[in-house]
Amino acid sequence: MKIDILRKNYNLEIESPFTLFIDGNTVVFDALIKGYGAKNGMVIDADGSKLINLNSELSALNYGFSCLNLNASDIADGFDEILGDWGASGI
C-alpha cells in the first residue's frame, strides 16, 4: 500500500480511510494527513468533485483538502514538495 510508504518515508500520521459527519451525512475520504495544511490536517481524496462540493464545510471544520491519488505508483516521488506547499500546521 502506497500510504504505508508515505508514512515511513515522510514520518506522517495518516488516517485511511477517513470518515467525517457533515451536514447529517457520513462522508468517507481516502485519507487524512495530520500535521499539515490546516489546523486539523489535510483531507485527501482522488475524487476532486467530492472535495469541491464540500470545500466550505471542510474549511469550516478547519481541514484543508487536496485531490490526490494516494495509490498512484509514483505518489512518494517528490512528496516532500507537496508537504512544503501545504506547510506544517503546528500540531
Side-chain angles (χ1 to χ4, degrees):
M1 177 179 263
K2 305 297 187 228
I3 291 173
D4 290 334
I5 293 170
L6 293 176
R7 283 185 181 115
K8 180 181 174 190
N9 289 359
Y10 298 98
N11 195 30
L12 296 173
E13 185 177 349
I14 302 174
E15 184 177 336
S16 178
F18 177 63
T19 304
L20 273 177
F21 193 68
I22 300 175
D23 293 334
N25 297 304
T26 301
V27 183
V28 179
F29 299 96
D30 293 339
L32 171 68
I33 299 179
K34 298 178 182 178
Y36 286 89
K39 180 180 176 184
N40 289 326
M42 292 295 290
V43 173
I44 309 298
D45 205 274
D47 182 354
S49 63
K50 181 193 301 184
L51 295 170
I52 289 169
N53 290 335
L54 295 171
N55 70 25
S56 296
E57 292 86 347
L58 290 169
S59 294
L61 293 169
N62 294 310
Y63 290 101
F65 52 91
S66 188
C67 180
L68 292 172
N69 179 356
L70 294 178
N71 291 311
S73 61
D74 63 347
I75 190 65
D77 297 342
F79 203 76
D80 54 335
E81 291 178 31
I82 293 172
L83 294 174
D85 287 346
W86 293 342
S89 64
I91 295 175

